[in-house]
Amino acid sequence: MRQELSTDTVMCRIQQAQTVLTVWLNTMTTDDGKAPDMVDAVLTILDGLADALAVESDK
């Protein structure tokens, strides 16, 4: 069953994901191979999405 999410919930979850990924990225070392680059790539994809949703919901 598909759950409908409010814009506020989606923005909050994006921000939570960014926080978790940032903490994870900051705990990684050079021994973690390409994982830091992959985490940073996901952070780049998420960057600005919460703000864009906020602007869209204000229209």
Side-chain angles (χ1 to χ4, degrees):
M1 189 165 148
R2 188 173 175 178
Q3 178 186 5
E4 292 295 322
L5 300 174
S6 70
T7 302
D8 287 340
T9 299
V10 173
M11 287 187 301
C12 184
R13 289 189 183 180
I14 291 169
Q15 292 167 336
Q16 288 171 339
Q18 288 174 308
T19 300
V20 170
L21 289 167
T22 299
V23 169
W24 187 21
L25 182 62
N26 290 333
T27 63
M28 292 183 169
T29 67
T30 55
D31 295 336
D32 290 320
K34 294 185 181 199
D37 291 338
M38 293 186 291
V39 172
D40 194 40
V42 174
L43 281 168
T44 300
I45 292 168
L46 294 173
D47 188 39
L49 290 182
D51 293 334
L53 280 172
V55 168
E56 189 63 29
S57 69
D58 287 342
K59 288 183 179 179

